[in-house]
Amino acid sequence: MLLEALTSTAPSFPSFRRQCPTTLSCHVSFDGLNTRRNPTMKVTACSKVESSSFPLEKKRKVVEHLCLLKAKQVLSDKDEKDMLDYLYTSQYQMRGIVAVSLGRISNDNVENYTHAVFMRFQTKADVTKFYENPFYSKVLKEHVMPYCHDLVNVDYESEVEDDMLPIFRKGEEFNYGVEFVHLFAFDDSALGAPVEDALASLEKLRKEFPSLIVQSTQGSNFNLSSKEYTHAVVTRFRSSEAFEIFLGSTEYRDVWRSKFERIIRKTLPIHFSVDPVGKEVM
C-alpha cells in the first residue's frame, strides 16, 4: 500500500509526536501532481489532536485572501516568473500581509484557472487597504493582467493557532508541500446549519491527521465584488503524498458524500506545489 511505502522511508518530522498511529483506507486516483522540490517524507496518520505541531489552546483571527488567475496561452516562462515574483515580493512593499504562497495550478479544472495566489492578513481593514494600495494596482496593471485574461478573488475570516510560526506560516514545515484550495458555492437553502455542519465535519477530520496536514483554514467569502463562491477552505499538506492519501481516503470520501454532495451548487478544487519564487524585492 502507498501508506506503508511512505512510512518505510525517510526520517519523521522531529517536532511531531506520534502517539496513536492509525491507517487511512485510501484509493489514490490523482494524476499530474507537481512534486518539484518536495522532499520524500515519512507519513504516519495520527488521530489525536494533541499531537499537532502547534499548541491549540489559543486561537487568533486572521483573514485569508485568494486570487485565481487565468493566464494567456502565450505566457512564456520568463513572463510567468516575472508575474509570480512581483506578486510574491509585494508582501515586502505593503503593510498587513502576513504570509504568501503561490504557484502554477497542478490539476485541470473546469474554470481553466492556471495560477493561484494565497495571502494572509491580520484584519479585514488590512485587506481593504491592500485592494486600494497603489503599488498593488501597479503590479496588477503592469505585471499580471498583461499575461492574464481573467481572475477571481475570495476573502474569508478564519482562525489559526496563536503562535508566531503558524500565524506567519514560517519554519521548516511551511517551506514545502502542497497548497489545496477548495472553493464552494452552497445552495441558498443550505446556508446556515447544514453548511456549518459540513464544514465542522471536515475540520474535525483534518485535525485527526496532523502528520498529513500542517495547517487548514476555512470561512465564508465576504468579498462583495466576487460572490460566485460562498465559502473557501485552504489546506497545507506536508507533501504531494500526504495530499493524495488524505483526499483518497475512505474517511474523506465519506464526509464528502454524507455532508457536502447534497448541498453544493458548484465547487472548484485546485492545488499547487509550494515553491517560493521571490528572493529579492522587485
Side-chain angles (χ1 to χ4, degrees):
M1 292 179 62
L2 178 57
L3 182 57
E4 293 174 349
L6 288 171
T7 56
S8 64
T9 61
S12 59
F13 284 99
S15 60
F16 177 69
R17 303 189 302 274
R18 292 175 180 79
Q19 298 175 348
C20 46
T22 61
T23 301
L24 288 99
S25 302
C26 62
H27 172 70
V28 178
S29 58
F30 298 93
D31 300 317
L33 287 171
N34 183 357
T35 58
R36 181 164 52 102
R37 294 186 65 182
N38 247 1
T40 303
M41 56 169 284
K42 182 175 180 179
V43 178
T44 304
C46 183
S47 62
K48 294 296 185 181
V49 175
E50 59 265 27
S51 341
S52 173
S53 303
F54 304 121
L56 300 179
E57 289 79 7
K58 296 182 179 179
K59 294 283 188 176
R60 173 174 295 208
K61 287 186 178 181
V62 293
V63 177
E64 316 286 51
H65 165 74
L66 301 169
C67 180
L68 303 186
L69 303 166
K70 293 183 181 179
K72 299 176 181 178
Q73 292 184 350
V74 295
L75 180 66
S76 67
D77 291 342
K78 180 179 180 301
D79 290 339
E80 179 185 41
K81 183 180 184 301
D82 177 80
M83 177 180 71
L84 296 179
D85 276 344
Y86 270 94
L87 286 168
Y88 186 82
T89 60
S90 62
Q91 63 186 303
Y92 308 124
Q93 297 284 349
M94 292 180 285
R95 296 174 60 88
I97 302 176
V98 174
V100 176
S101 70
L102 46 68
R104 174 178 284 273
I105 295 172
S106 302
N107 60 298
D108 294 331
N109 58 90
V110 294
E111 300 290 342
N112 296 317
Y113 288 107
T114 59
H115 296 78
V117 181
F118 167 88
M119 293 183 178
R120 172 171 293 167
F121 295 83
Q122 296 185 58
T123 67
K124 288 184 178 181
D126 290 330
V127 177
T128 300
K129 293 177 182 178
F130 164 75
Y131 280 117
E132 298 172 351
N133 191 295
F135 178 82
Y136 178 65
S137 298
K138 184 178 180 180
V139 169
L140 287 180
K141 180 180 179 180
E142 298 181 2
H143 302 284
V144 177
M145 296 318 297
Y147 312 127
C148 300
H149 59 83
D150 195 15
L151 61 82
V152 62
N153 293 308
V154 171
D155 303 301
Y156 66 93
E157 190 174 49
S158 189
E159 291 184 337
V160 296
E161 297 85 351
D162 191 10
D163 186 83
M164 293 292 288
L165 293 182
I167 290 173
F168 289 88
R169 301 180 116 212
K170 298 298 184 182
E172 182 180 352
E173 292 188 309
F174 286 101
N175 287 341
Y176 303 100
V178 171
E179 205 84 86
F180 179 45
V181 176
H182 204 163
L183 304 184
F184 302 92
F186 289 103
D187 291 333
D188 292 341
S189 60
L191 296 177
V195 171
E196 292 174 3
D197 178 60
L199 293 176
S201 297
L202 182 59
E203 176 68 10
K204 180 180 178 182
L205 178 61
R206 290 196 304 262
K207 287 182 177 180
E208 291 177 352
F209 300 102
S211 63
L212 304 179
I213 296 171
V214 180
Q215 189 179 76
S216 186
T217 61
Q218 61 185 37
S220 174
N221 179 24
F222 62 80
N223 190 315
L224 298 178
S225 65
S226 181
K227 297 299 291 183
E228 182 179 1
Y229 294 96
T230 61
H231 293 74
V233 177
V234 175
T235 305
R236 169 66 69 84
F237 286 91
R238 298 185 184 276
S239 69
S240 59
E241 292 89 349
F243 168 72
E244 293 179 22
I245 290 170
F246 185 81
L247 266 71
S249 69
T250 300
E251 292 86 342
Y252 176 78
R253 292 172 183 268
D254 287 345
V255 168
W256 182 260
R257 283 192 296 264
S258 63
K259 300 293 184 178
F260 284 86
E261 282 187 348
R262 292 174 294 179
I263 62 175
I264 283 181
R265 174 168 45 87
K266 184 179 181 180
T267 180
L268 178 64
I270 65 97
H271 64 273
F272 60 92
S273 176
V274 176
D275 188 9
V277 294
K279 297 182 179 178
E280 299 180 358
V281 177
M282 305 300 289

